[in-house]
């Protein structure tokens, strides 16, 4: 009852794109990772890299933080971003994992008064700071987590989990995904009866530490390196490389989006890397200056002229409906695959430029 | 003890348990309602102060916590409104003023500004104060141009209704301020203090001297998109500033032009 009250307060538009046919290999791949086929798959199917990145990023590829804490991070960040889809879906997952309704409701109300350890509360507070990025969490924030008992790799994985949730929130919000069917299933008698079995299938296991992926020479490699020792590094490397390899939108468009998001988030490193990459694509330094300062330039093509100013609007929004309506305007005239790739790149930029707080002093 | 006594005791326990459960459920519902109300208030307050400040107030109460930040300040005022008011009935005056303030506020909010306060017919708006905004000065000047357009529309409505047209001056300056909760125990608000606010106000006064409606300082111009059409004004002496102040009148924006 409490859940529906919180969700009912979240404003949401009609879905941006209709469900589309899912290639069999993609469906099998996602089913293997999730155990079920999530509702979002049919909405993002024309862009396989996006589907695979979403699945891999939110499956808690962690070796140093309990996956159960990552689940709570996903709930808190999704609520903070007012993402109706992710919040409802994550809530349903927690119910299936055996969390009591009253416990979840207390978490939603205020995790600082829920029955959580001081360390867990500190972790959730940090995750929310990563998501808000205003101001960006700094070294003292990470040191507070260390004092609460988190190792440096654990802090990196918590940051990754928050950034991965930001990624999912941006995709779900910009696509205005309809509620996940799982939400309705949770209270069905049969599902309640089988909950222990379902929970066993859904429960994520702590993975073993992993070395950095080789090669790690693609875009934003320092951010990937900051996850050294975590399976998250490989997942992030692949997500960025796959996004870059896709040819639906030109590479320079993706770099422009990253540059704008980096500037909006005060991420000097990612902005500098985007600048260098844009200059390699043929932009003069003064063109890049102009674009980042004004979000416009005669050098931008028609798609970029719409996407560049829009990228800024995806960084922080207090209400979801206005940004969903803006997305609809931006998507006008774009093919579904172009819309999806644009959303995917914007979401990835938001994640990477938040994750880069690990490199800040 | 007989079986009957045991049954009666069990029944009494069951009734008590049922009552307790009903009480707890009622309390939980009230708690949930209070939480939703608080959350609504929190979201509403985030329109007046940064989310972080609102959270801090909720968690730890009012404090003198403040920070220095660079923001863009827009100060708007109606020219000759006091004289205009002398010829109008109080209700008519307030209706005209409220119509003006509503339209100007909308133009400001639509360009990511925040109306800090109304000072009679004056408006103090801040850009980049509630959240980090690297494009704050562009936003402020776009807001000023939107205000110009909105006032033109409003004046058409006023003239059609046989009422006098309004004339506005807008001053924009960018610089450091101290932002925080300012006021007394009884009345407190999130606000900014510093020379930047005073300069924006002085620049607005200069619109009368130069006979223009939107004036910006050199500090604002430096951070501005080159597609804004600006006209330099002769430096003018203003109260509180040692040297003459250079300002630029904003004529318009060339959306299709180049920023250089």
């Amino acid at each position: 009852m409490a859940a529906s009250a919180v969700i009912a307060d979240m404003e949401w538009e009609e879905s941006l794109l209709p469900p589309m046919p899912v290639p069999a290999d993609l469906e099998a791949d996602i089913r293997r990772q999730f155990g079920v086929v999530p509702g979002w798959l049919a909405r993002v199917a024309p862009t396989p890299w996006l589907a695979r990145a979403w699945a891999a990023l939110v499956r808690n590829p962690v070796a140093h933080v309990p996956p159960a804490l990552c689940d709570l991070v996903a709930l808190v960040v999704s609520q903070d971003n007012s993402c109706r889809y992710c919040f409802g879906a994550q809530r349903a997952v927690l119910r299936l994992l055996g969390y009591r309704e009253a416990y979840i409701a207390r978490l939603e109300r205020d995790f600082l008064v829920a029955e959580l350890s001081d360390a867990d509360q500190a972790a959730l507070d940090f995750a929310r700071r990563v998501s808000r990025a205003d101001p960006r969490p700094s070294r003292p924030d990470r040191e507070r987590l260390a004092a609460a008992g988190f190792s440096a790799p654990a802090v990196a994985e918590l940051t990754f989990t928050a950034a991965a949730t930001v990624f999912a929130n941006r995709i779900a919000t910009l696509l205005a995904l309809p509620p996940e069917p799982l939400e309705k299933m949770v209270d069905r008698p049969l599902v309640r009866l089988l909950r222990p079995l379902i929970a066993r299938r859904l429960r994520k296991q702590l993975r073993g530490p992993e070395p950095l992926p080789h090669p790690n020479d693609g875009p934003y490699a320092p951010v990937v390196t900051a996850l050294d020792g975590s399976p998250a590094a490989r997942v992030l490397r692949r997500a960025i490389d796959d996004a870059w390899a896709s040819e639906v939108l030109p590479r320079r468009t993706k770099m422009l989006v990253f540059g704008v998001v980096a500037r909006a988030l005060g991420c000097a490193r990612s902005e500098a890397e985007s600048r260098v990459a844009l200059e390699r694509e043929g932009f003069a330094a003064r063109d890049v200056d102009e674009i980042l300062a004004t979000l416009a330039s005669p050098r931008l093509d028609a798609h970029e002229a719409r996407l560049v100013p829009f990228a800024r609007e995806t960084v922080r929004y207090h209400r979801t409906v206005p940004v969903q309506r803006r997305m609809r305007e931006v998507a006008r005239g774009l093919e579904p695959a172009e819309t999806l790739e644009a959303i995917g790149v914007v979401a990835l930029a938001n994640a990477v430029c938040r994750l880069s707080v690990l490199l800040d002093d | 003890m007989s079986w009957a006594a045991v049954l009666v005791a069990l029944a009494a326990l069951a009734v008590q348990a049922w009552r307790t459960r009903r009480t707890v459920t009622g309390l939980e519902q009230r708690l949930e309602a209070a939480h939703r109300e608080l959350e609504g208030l929190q979201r509403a307050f985030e329109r007046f102060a940064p989310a972080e400040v609102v959270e801090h107030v909720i968690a730890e109460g009012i404090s003198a916590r403040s920070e220095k930040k660079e923001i863009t300040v827009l100060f708007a005022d109606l020219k000759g409104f006091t004289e205009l008011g002398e010829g109008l009935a109080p209700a008519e005056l307030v209706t005209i003023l409220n119509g003006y303030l509503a339209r100007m506020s909308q133009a400001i909010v639509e360009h990511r500004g925040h109306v800090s306060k109304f000072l009679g017919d004056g408006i103090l708006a801040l850009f980049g104060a509630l959240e980090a905004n690297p494009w704050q000065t562009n936003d402020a000047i776009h807001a000023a141009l939107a205000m110009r357009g909105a006032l033109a529309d409003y004046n058409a409505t006023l003239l059609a209704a046989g009422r006098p047209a309004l004339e506005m001056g807008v001053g924009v300056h960018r610089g450091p301020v101290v932002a925080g909760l300012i006021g007394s125990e009884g009345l407190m608000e999130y606000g900014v203090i510093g020379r930047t606010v005073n300069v924006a106000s002085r620049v607005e006064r200069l619109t009368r001297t130069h006979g223009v409606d939107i004036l910006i300082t050199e500090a604002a111009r430096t951070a501005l998109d080159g597609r804004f059409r600006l006209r330099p004004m002769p430096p003018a002496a203003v109260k509180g500033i040692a040297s003459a102040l250079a300002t630029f009148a904003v004529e318009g924006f060339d959306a299709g032009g180049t920023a250089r």
Side-chain angles (χ1 to χ4, degrees):
Chain A
M1 201 155 52
S4 58
V6 172
I7 289 175
D9 283 347
M10 289 180 167
E11 51 177 9
W12 206 248
E13 285 279 281
E14 287 294 309
S15 186
L16 180 67
L17 296 174
M20 288 162 276
V22 183
D25 63 327
L26 180 63
E27 183 171 319
D29 197 9
I30 302 299
R31 187 189 295 278
R32 186 172 46 75
Q33 292 191 55
F34 273 87
V36 292
V37 177
W40 51 258
L41 183 57
R43 311 270 174 171
V44 302
T47 309
W49 76 261
L50 179 57
R52 290 199 167 92
W54 188 347
L57 283 163
V58 303
R59 279 293 292 166
N60 298 348
V62 291
H64 306 278
V65 181
L69 180 56
C70 295
D71 281 334
L72 300 186
V73 165
L75 183 81
V76 166
V77 171
S78 297
Q79 184 180 8
D80 205 51
N81 281 310
S82 300
C83 181
R84 164 71 184 81
Y85 174 85
C86 296
F87 178 69
Q90 189 59 23
R91 227 180 170 284
V93 167
L94 290 178
R95 295 281 312 281
L96 287 173
L97 285 171
Y99 286 85
R100 284 174 292 114
E101 176 60 46
Y103 178 83
I104 299 172
R106 271 197 292 279
L107 261 179
E108 289 163 359
R109 248 178 250 137
D110 187 352
F111 61 77
L112 295 176
V113 298
E115 309 96 329
L116 290 169
S117 68
D118 289 348
D120 285 356
Q121 288 187 2
L124 294 181
D125 184 47
F126 178 76
R128 202 164 59 174
R129 285 171 190 274
V130 171
S131 167
R132 291 180 179 177
D134 192 20
R136 280 163 77 79
S138 55
R139 184 177 290 277
D141 293 298
R142 300 201 298 277
E143 286 168 356
R144 269 194 288 280
L145 271 187
F150 290 95
S151 64
V155 173
E157 287 186 340
L158 277 172
T159 313
F160 169 85
T161 306
T165 308
V166 164
F167 173 82
N169 292 165
R170 294 299 177 281
I171 299 171
T173 299
L174 296 179
L175 284 173
L177 290 179
E180 177 61 45
L182 196 65
E183 282 184 41
K184 283 189 177 162
M185 288 166 53
V186 171
D187 287 317
R188 286 189 190 153
L190 184 63
V191 173
R192 291 172 73 162
L193 190 68
L194 297 175
R195 195 178 279 173
L197 289 174
I198 299 170
R200 187 184 296 177
R201 193 163 167 75
L202 278 177
R203 198 162 288 131
K204 298 152 194 161
Q205 301 297 322
L206 199 63
R207 303 189 198 176
E210 284 184 23
L212 274 178
H214 286 289
N216 179 29
D217 54 2
Y220 310 101
V223 182
V224 176
T225 304
L227 294 167
D228 189 8
S230 170
R234 182 175 43 81
V235 167
L236 182 66
R237 180 71 275 152
R238 182 163 180 200
I240 298 171
D241 288 346
D242 288 354
W244 248 243
S246 172
E247 293 178 348
V248 176
L249 292 178
R251 191 171 288 196
R252 66 174 227 167
T253 306
K254 296 167 191 168
M255 289 162 185
L256 287 166
V257 166
F258 263 77
V260 170
V261 171
R263 175 159 291 194
L265 283 166
C267 176
R269 279 170 187 270
S270 302
E271 184 182 321
E273 183 167 344
S274 303
R275 277 176 172 281
V276 171
L278 283 165
E279 287 172 27
R280 265 196 231 115
E281 290 283 320
F283 281 97
R286 58 190 297 190
D287 290 330
V288 181
D289 283 342
E290 176 188 3
I291 293 164
L292 294 182
T294 67
L295 306 174
S297 165
R299 292 289 317 272
L300 300 179
D301 68 26
H303 286 178
E304 289 163 351
R306 278 190 281 170
L307 278 176
V308 163
F310 177 67
R312 163 204 189 176
E313 296 173 39
T314 66
V315 173
R316 298 184 192 95
Y317 40 80
H318 297 292
R319 292 179 54 214
T320 49
V321 163
V323 76
Q324 287 173 331
R325 289 185 182 157
R326 275 285 292 131
M327 182 66 236
R328 209 172 283 278
E329 287 171 20
V330 171
R332 216 164 279 148
L334 294 181
E335 294 296 321
E338 291 173 324
T339 300
L340 285 164
E341 183 139 312
I343 289 173
V345 171
V346 157
L348 198 55
N350 270 282
V352 168
C353 296
R354 281 175 168 85
L355 192 47
S356 65
V357 298
L358 293 171
L359 304 169
D360 291 352
D361 287 329
Chain B
M1 192 186 290
S2 69
W3 281 110
V6 170
L7 284 174
V8 168
L10 283 174
L13 275 174
V15 167
Q16 186 57 39
W18 177 76
R19 280 185 180 158
T20 306
R21 188 183 164 82
R22 199 176 58 168
T23 306
V24 168
T25 305
L27 286 171
E28 276 182 349
Q29 283 171 350
R30 284 165 64 183
L31 182 63
E32 179 60 30
H35 162 67
R36 290 181 66 194
E37 202 171 317
L38 183 63
E39 199 170 73
L41 277 173
Q42 187 173 341
R43 287 195 184 278
F45 274 119
E46 282 170 10
R47 289 163 54 202
F48 306 106
E52 205 188 25
V53 172
V54 176
E55 289 217 334
H56 185 82
V57 169
I58 289 169
E60 295 174 32
I62 303 287
S63 73
R65 192 166 173 264
S66 59
E67 59 180 332
K68 199 169 179 179
K69 50 170 75 175
E70 179 154 327
I71 67 165
T72 301
V73 177
L74 180 154
F75 198 91
D77 208 5
L78 283 175
K79 297 176 183 174
F81 190 70
T82 309
E83 296 76 23
L84 185 78
E86 285 165 2
L88 292 170
E92 193 174 18
L93 181 71
V94 168
T95 302
I96 292 173
L97 181 60
N98 286 350
Y100 163 78
L101 295 175
R103 285 165 175 80
M104 298 308 116
S105 299
Q106 190 181 347
I108 289 162
V109 170
E110 281 175 357
H111 292 87
R112 298 178 184 78
H114 150 63
V115 177
S116 175
K117 61 181 75 171
F118 295 126
L119 304 147
D121 57 315
I123 302 170
L124 174 63
L126 313 175
F127 294 78
L130 294 196
E131 61 182 27
N133 177 1
W135 299 282
Q136 54 176 268
T137 309
N138 285 328
D139 288 341
I141 312 301
H142 278 301
L145 290 174
M147 290 165 74
R148 177 192 279 167
L151 182 62
D153 290 346
Y154 188 43
N155 276 338
T157 309
L158 290 174
L159 290 169
R163 288 168 167 169
L166 303 175
E167 198 183 347
M168 169 185 75
V170 177
V172 179
H173 180 51
R174 177 176 174 140
V177 294
V178 172
L181 294 170
I182 298 163
S184 65
E185 203 173 308
L187 179 61
M188 188 155 291
E189 63 182 8
Y190 180 80
V192 296
I193 47 175
R195 190 169 170 274
T196 302
V197 182
N198 298 336
V199 172
S201 166
R202 306 269 188 261
V203 171
E204 184 280 315
R205 300 295 300 177
L206 274 183
T207 60
R208 292 155 171 78
T209 309
H210 293 315
V212 296
D213 61 345
I214 304 172
L215 267 185
I216 67 170
T217 60
E218 175 66 27
R221 189 190 72 88
T222 306
L224 207 57
D225 183 340
R227 289 173 297 170
F228 284 102
R229 286 196 311 279
L230 306 177
R231 185 160 48 95
M233 294 285 118
V238 294
K239 191 179 160 193
I241 298 174
S243 54
L245 190 66
T247 53
F248 302 82
V250 181
E251 297 190 330
F253 179 73
D254 295 326
T258 174
R260 289 172 205 145

